[in-house]
Amino acid sequence: MLFRSDPEDAKDFDDAISVKFLDNGNTEIGVHIADVSHYVTPGSAIDKEAYRRATSVYLVDRTIPMLPEVLSNDLCSLNPDVDRLTFSAVFTFTPSMEIVESWFGKTVIHSHQRFSYEGAQKVLDDRSGPFLKELEASLAIAKWLEKKRFEDGAISLETEEVKFKLDETGRPVSVYVKQRGPTHHMIEELMLLANRKVAEYIATHDEHTDDVFVFRVHDAPDPERVENLQTFLKRLGYKVTIDENGVIPSRALNDLVVSLAGKPERETIQTAIVRSMAKAIYSTKNIGHYGLAFEYYTHFTSPIRRYPDLVVHRLLFEYLNKKEVPRNMLGAYEEISAHSSQREKEAADAERASIKYKQTEYMSERVGQVFDGVVSGISPNGLFLEEKVSRCEGMVRLRDIGSDFYEYNDKELAIIGRRTRKEFRIGDRVRFKVTSADLAKRLIDYVLV
């Protein structure tokens, strides 16, 4: 049985999962990825443009694809009930969750079902519907993989994803935070498994250990940033200890994140933790992935939207067919890695700017309205407030806070009234009114009520 599970608003379908129950009690899980490399050959015009773009860009109101839509939305899209070319990673699990066999190779698949995350979750919740046993097996394996990852030191950070409902003119009529359920985590863990095992295959097999390859790497945090994070957390009343390696142990960070469940300062602290980390990048030099706690990791699962994944497909196919990639090509692949890392950063910046623009546009039509929110930041200029539902962040300037004279206290990370000693701190719940929204600068002004 083979199925796909995607968000309702997915714009490309480049992965599918198969489940097969073997006679000996083992379970075979296949991760099948669109074989973009079959259609996009090195040096072709499409390849050159894909390299230039390096990634698809997902703005609020449009997608700028890496590949032509005839590929991304048709030939390479793993639509149900049609044959599609794929590159597959297949793993055999024992009932005790040991992986006893791995296989990589090109395949042809015929997907039987497309689930949305919500549709797959309904089958699991109702314990009734198509492919229930297969979904249950996939979920059980994914939960074990996640548990093992955290035991090995992975950092549990799940940032919120802001989504918009737009009218026919593209203006936002509602803003909300997308919920991530068990089926989302299930697919994510199986993709992580495929990425990790492909990298392990290249890095640990005797005939491949010196091969040219593109890894996804994540360095340990810079000690100065870790100290700044520790200081920030201390000001908020949270104590964490830096170990002999100059990092906050992942278990301590995970415990902190768990303790923040339901607290208004949760997102602010998670954002601070993320900002203290190094950025994950592509490289031909493997240093492991700190955040995921993987010794070997790559990107294999999204060649429709990421150029490094396409390159990994090409390299893996060469090595599976006992071919060599000359060592003098190492520099070219390092250049691909550096270019792709830079383009990824630019795409992420554009996506964040797009969200901020649409949030500003949303609030520009609600000037004068009152909302509930929390203090999300403190600065010498005033308070940053985040609206409860839409996560639209704006500022209340010091001079506009109230009748008292308010001052920024860096040591306390608070804004304090000189006469009343009234304090505002990160996480405080507040009510505020929208006073203005500047689309050109993407700035929203609030005032407390």
Side-chain angles (χ1 to χ4, degrees):
M1 185 285 301
L2 192 144
F3 65 90
R4 290 183 28 255
S5 185
D6 307 288
E8 285 281 8
D9 59 350
K11 298 178 176 63
D12 47 49
F13 310 120
D14 52 5
D15 58 71
I17 303 299
S18 66
V19 181
K20 183 178 180 181
F21 300 111
L22 304 182
D23 292 339
N24 61 1
N26 291 342
T27 302
E28 182 184 276
I29 296 285
V31 178
H32 309 278
I33 308 301
D35 185 13
V36 175
S37 63
H38 178 82
Y39 301 98
V40 181
T41 56
S44 64
I46 292 178
D47 180 56
K48 290 177 181 177
E49 181 61 19
Y51 167 75
R52 188 184 73 82
R53 298 185 180 206
T55 183
S56 295
V57 183
Y58 299 99
L59 307 180
V60 171
D61 59 351
R62 73 199 70 182
T63 298
I64 305 169
M66 183 182 78
L67 298 173
E69 290 189 7
V70 69
L71 289 177
S72 60
N73 292 359
D74 186 9
L75 285 174
C76 293
S77 189
L78 304 185
N79 300 317
D81 302 319
V82 292
D83 291 346
R84 284 291 184 260
L85 301 179
T86 49
F87 211 141
S88 300
V90 182
F91 310 101
T92 302
F93 285 83
T94 68
S96 61
M97 299 299 179
E98 180 186 2
I99 299 176
V100 292
E101 187 175 352
S102 301
W103 180 89
F104 308 100
K106 294 204 175 189
T107 52
V108 179
I109 69 165
H110 189 98
S111 177
H112 300 104
Q113 177 83 32
R114 187 216 162 186
F115 287 110
S116 66
Y117 289 139
E118 295 78 9
Q121 190 61 53
K122 188 175 189 308
V123 171
L124 289 164
D125 291 343
D126 294 346
R127 296 190 56 76
S128 175
F131 309 120
L132 171 61
K133 289 184 178 180
E134 289 81 2
L135 285 169
E136 287 178 331
S138 299
L139 184 60
I141 287 172
K143 285 183 175 179
W144 182 86
L145 290 168
E146 182 181 60
K147 179 175 178 288
K148 181 71 166 58
R149 188 159 56 85
F150 291 141
E151 288 175 351
D152 290 341
I155 297 172
S156 174
L157 290 174
E158 189 172 308
T159 55
E160 294 180 330
E161 183 180 358
V162 175
K163 305 293 287 185
F164 296 80
K165 182 178 180 181
L166 307 178
D167 65 16
E168 61 277 1
T169 68
R171 298 184 72 84
V173 294
S174 66
V175 193
Y176 59 97
V177 174
K178 184 175 180 179
Q179 300 301 313
R180 288 162 51 95
T183 50
H184 188 117
H185 289 281
M186 175 184 77
I187 297 301
E188 189 174 75
E189 286 299 327
L190 295 177
M191 296 303 117
L192 290 175
L193 171 67
N195 288 335
R196 173 169 60 92
K197 286 297 184 179
V198 166
E200 281 184 9
Y201 171 77
I202 296 299
T204 63
H205 280 61
D206 290 341
E207 66 269 29
H208 297 306
T209 51
D210 291 329
D211 285 339
V212 174
F213 199 63
V214 173
F215 295 93
R216 178 71 168 177
V217 300
H218 185 216
D219 206 352
D222 176 76
E224 184 176 348
R225 288 190 174 189
V226 173
E227 288 184 11
N228 291 340
L229 174 63
Q230 183 189 43
T231 301
F232 174 75
L233 293 173
K234 184 177 180 181
R235 289 173 177 173
L236 294 178
Y238 296 96
K239 183 178 180 181
V240 291
T241 303
I242 298 174
D243 66 18
E244 65 276 7
N245 297 315
V247 300
I248 300 170
S250 59
R251 187 175 297 278
L253 284 178
N254 290 341
D255 290 344
L256 171 62
V257 171
V258 169
S259 74
L260 293 170
K263 294 185 179 180
E265 65 267 31
R266 176 178 179 271
E267 279 303 307
T268 300
I269 291 177
Q270 286 209 150
T271 299
I273 293 172
V274 170
R275 288 175 177 170
S276 74
M277 302 284 178
K279 301 298 182 187
I281 61 171
Y282 300 102
S283 177
T284 59
K285 304 175 185 66
N286 180 55
I287 60 170
H289 197 292
Y290 171 79
L292 293 173
F294 291 155
E295 187 175 358
Y296 309 104
Y297 191 64
T298 190
H299 271 172
F300 167 80
T301 53
S302 294
I304 284 179
R305 63 184 179 91
R306 296 188 303 224
Y307 193 78
D309 301 52
L310 173 58
V311 172
V312 165
H313 278 217
R314 290 170 178 167
L315 291 171
L316 179 60
F317 188 65
E318 291 292 292
Y319 298 140
L320 289 171
N321 285 278
K322 310 299 182 184
K323 296 181 180 179
E324 292 185 3
V325 176
R327 291 291 297 176
N328 61 13
M329 290 293 293
L330 189 65
Y333 284 100
E334 187 57 38
E335 184 176 327
I336 289 172
S337 299
H339 172 74
S340 298
S341 298
Q342 178 61 29
R343 294 294 284 167
E344 176 187 47
K345 180 182 180 302
E346 292 166 356
D349 290 344
E351 290 164 7
R352 281 192 293 269
S354 172
I355 290 170
K356 183 62 178 177
Y357 182 89
K358 285 299 182 184
Q359 287 176 319
T360 308
E361 187 176 30
Y362 177 78
M363 281 302 187
S364 72
E365 297 184 351
R366 288 156 180 81
V367 171
Q369 294 186 23
V370 175
F371 295 91
D372 292 314
V374 299
V375 177
S376 57
I378 304 283
S379 84
N381 296 318
L383 300 169
F384 290 97
L385 308 182
E386 187 179 79
E387 200 271 320
K388 180 180 177 182
V389 177
S390 68
R391 302 298 194 263
C392 294
E393 188 177 65
M395 172 175 267
V396 178
R397 302 183 190 282
L398 274 181
R399 64 176 181 270
D400 297 327
I401 290 179
S403 57
D404 199 352
F405 183 83
Y406 283 88
E407 298 175 306
Y408 171 71
N409 186 310
D410 181 63
K411 184 177 180 180
E412 295 290 329
L413 197 59
I415 285 179
I416 304 172
R418 182 181 291 179
R419 175 174 51 83
T420 63
R421 307 310 296 169
K422 180 177 175 58
E423 298 181 356
F424 291 96
R425 296 177 181 271
I426 291 173
D428 286 351
R429 290 182 170 87
V430 292
R431 283 178 65 79
F432 59 87
K433 182 167 64 176
V434 183
T435 57
S436 67
D438 188 327
L439 281 172
K441 296 180 179 179
R442 299 192 295 275
L443 295 175
I444 308 170
D445 286 323
Y446 297 143
V447 64
L448 295 170
V449 297

